[in-house]
């Protein structure tokens, strides 16, 4: 079953769908179903997501800003307009080097 608050056929500005906040990272679900989904993350400079895993293959796409994405103990700097692919159940963490907005496209294997 598809979960979304958006209507099919409407046009939206992607970066406007998530904001950043000083107190904690912000998350916004664009859509999800049993196979995965799309989530936006807004991070202020210096905010981080501690090491965790995801039960899906993920495309990490930086919309605005710059992040350090550490996967398998290897840091990757990803800037606006760039993306990285990650396999399911891989330990990773995120640190915002600047105010950043990220789109995660998740597909379950």
């Amino acid at each position: 079953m598809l979960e979304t608050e958006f209507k099919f056929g409407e046009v939206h500005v992607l970066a406007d769908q998530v904001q950043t906040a000083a107190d904690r990272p912000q998350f916004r679900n664009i859509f999800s179903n049993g196979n995965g989904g799309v989530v936006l993350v807004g991070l202020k400079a210096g905010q981080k997501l501690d090491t965790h895993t995801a039960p899906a293959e993920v495309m990490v796409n930086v919309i605005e800003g710059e992040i350090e994405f550490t996967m398998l103990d290897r840091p990757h700097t990803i800037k606006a307009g760039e993306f990285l692919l990650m396999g399911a159940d891989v330990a990773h963490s995120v640190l915002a080097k600047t105010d950043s907005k990220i789109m995660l496209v998740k597909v379950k294997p």
Side-chain angles (χ1 to χ4, degrees):
M1 177 172 184
L2 182 69
E3 294 180 30
T4 185
E5 61 187 74
F6 297 92
K7 294 181 181 175
F8 283 76
E10 291 181 346
V11 176
H12 302 275
V13 177
L14 187 61
D16 291 349
Q17 303 311 309
V18 69
Q19 303 307 314
T20 60
D23 60 332
R24 62 182 173 81
Q26 301 295 299
F27 296 87
R28 176 106 187 256
N29 183 55
I30 299 300
F31 75 87
S32 62
N33 65 22
N35 298 315
V38 174
V39 175
L40 301 180
V41 182
L43 299 161
K44 285 287 213 188
Q47 288 180 336
K48 62 182 181 174
L49 301 176
D50 291 329
T51 302
H52 62 285
T53 61
E57 294 166 339
V58 181
M59 177 182 176
V60 179
N61 182 358
V62 177
I63 301 165
E64 291 181 356
E66 182 177 331
I67 65 170
E68 181 176 282
F69 189 93
T70 301
M71 176 176 67
L72 301 174
D73 296 323
R74 181 174 169 212
H76 302 272
T77 298
I78 311 172
K79 300 176 183 176
E82 299 177 336
F83 73 91
L84 171 140
L85 297 177
M86 180 185 71
D89 300 314
V90 174
H92 61 283
S93 63
V94 180
L95 171 66
K97 297 176 95 174
T98 65
D99 289 359
S100 300
K101 295 181 180 179
I102 307 162
M103 178 175 65
L104 305 174
V105 179
K106 304 178 291 180
V107 178
K108 292 186 178 178

